[in-house]
Amino acid sequence: MFTHAESRPRTQGDLGRTFGNVAGEVRRLDWILVLAVLALGMLGALLVWAATLPGDGGDPLDSTHHLTRHLVHLVTGFVVCLVIASVDYRTIRAYTPLIYLFTLVSLVLVLTPLGAVVNGSRGWLVVGGFQFQPSELMKVGLIMVLATLLGEPRDGETKPMTRDVLFCLLVLVTPLMLVVLQPDLGTALVLGAIFLGVLTLSGAPVMWVMGMLACGAVVALCVWWFELLEPYQMQRVATLMSPAADPQGAGYNSAQALIAVGSGGFDGTGLFQGEQTHGRFVPEQHTDFIFTVAGEELGFVGAMAIIALTALILWRVLRIGLKCDLPYPRLVCVGVATWFGFQSFINIGMCLGLMPVTGIPLPFVSYGGTALLANMFALGLVLGIHARNRGFE
């Protein structure tokens, strides 16, 4: 039996070790990456607020609904990020099949009466008064499955073989077809980019990488030649080739986005002072076209701040991946970097008239709970890998 005096030092020691472990976990986080994401998220909150204010000189304090919800999403997402980062990534890897199957079943349910149509796309699942977008969660699930299949060669093998690539193709094609049926071409392109990025750096046979590129080019050509896209999607691609052809029709969104970005000049018109933004000339400005708010109200300085923070995030994620001594965590980082990088390029390029208009958000900036939570989940995976990789000790 221990006396009170004997048990007290042991309890204090246990508490000390617990706090020491927590402090150690905190110290092992990549704080440059964390601060870059938080800075981008807070900048996004300001832009969401500016984009959703009432026009005609309304009081900024009269409309904080979207801002409040965005901040709730941001805080919730950051908590999710820290929780995921605190768990050993190998433990989370064990649940990869369940995560993938959950998102796959959710994508199927979207096409049932449980799915909701938003902006012409049946991409939302409504359950018990809550709605979420399964295609955003599929980006995380796909990365985890691909990293598992391509990052863990069988006994006696040092790199993925043809059968591994074929199985990965099956894993990709199933959700890809479900997303196309919504239809959501933008998310389909992101899923394809993730697959190609992970495959390229997995050590898979080069013929497969080249074959995927060639197949992608052939499919794109066939889709265009046989007009397999929806009419509005065909018009968007045509507008990209000739932006001035229909400024009041199919090219309206692109034309107004360019006007908004260009009107900001070097330092912008000032926060809450953008005429294009408050005149509602650009649609979906708090989500898909949020970069135009930065271009108009914060100018070249604000736009470059978003690009610089995004580049910093990509560099830190790739840096973590390059220092990994195992293929699985390295491929997770590659997949996350490909996701964030490709989606940012498409979104910003769309606002600058360099890419066709697609409905994909700007990571960590655009309004949207599911997208932000998925981004933060992926960030938590990367931070957890950084905390437990011996290359960073």
Side-chain angles (χ1 to χ4, degrees), residues 4 22 47 69 116 144 159 172 198 204 239-240 253 265 279 288 365 368:
H4 179 70
V22 172
L47 297 176
R69 288 178 62 87
M144 295 177 66
K159 60 182 181 180
L172 168 69
V198 175
T239 300
L240 177 65
N253 292 349
D288 302 340
V365 180

Side-chain angles (χ1 to χ4, degrees), residues 48-66:
V48 167
W49 189 15
T52 54
L53 289 178
D56 300 325
D59 185 352
L61 297 180
D62 289 341
S63 180
T64 58
H65 172 73
H66 286 87

Side-chain angles (χ1 to χ4, degrees), residues 280-294:
R280 300 292 189 266
F281 292 103
V282 183
E284 306 298 333
Q285 215 166 1
H286 63 303
T287 54
D288 302 340
F289 284 95
I290 197 166
F291 187 78
T292 63
V293 184

Side-chain angles (χ1 to χ4, degrees), residues 149 152-164:
L149 294 175
E152 298 179 353
R154 294 173 175 80
D155 293 339
E157 299 175 354
T158 59
K159 60 182 181 180
M161 305 303 290
T162 296
R163 60 176 176 272
D164 300 314

Side-chain angles (χ1 to χ4, degrees), residues 352-374:
L352 298 178
L354 302 175
M355 299 297 294
V357 175
T358 53
I360 57 176
L362 185 58
F364 302 109
V365 180
S366 294
Y367 178 86
T370 310
L372 191 52
L373 288 176

Side-chain angles (χ1 to χ4, degrees), residues 185 219-242 245-246 250-251 356-358:
L185 181 60
V219 169
L221 183 61
C222 290
V223 166
W224 175 258
W225 184 262
F226 294 105
E227 299 183 356
L228 300 179
L229 295 176
E230 296 291 332
Y232 73 91
Q233 293 172 330
M234 296 290 292
Q235 290 174 351
R236 288 175 178 178
V237 177
T239 300
L240 177 65
M241 298 177 180
S242 181
D246 190 11
V357 175
T358 53

Side-chain angles (χ1 to χ4, degrees), residues 99-112 114-116 121-127 130-142 175 178-179 182 184 187 191 339 369-371 374:
I99 294 173
Y100 177 80
L101 287 175
F102 170 77
T103 54
L104 194 62
V105 171
S106 298
L107 284 175
V108 173
L109 293 177
V110 161
L111 302 177
T112 71
L114 291 175
S121 175
R122 183 178 288 275
W124 295 84
L125 189 63
V126 181
V127 180
F130 295 93
Q131 64 178 25
F132 68 98
Q133 196 172 8
S135 59
E136 291 292 334
L137 303 180
M138 176 52 74
K139 297 170 186 176
V140 180
L142 181 64
L178 292 172
V179 169
Q182 293 180 5
D184 187 353
T187 298
L191 294 178
W339 169 14
T370 310

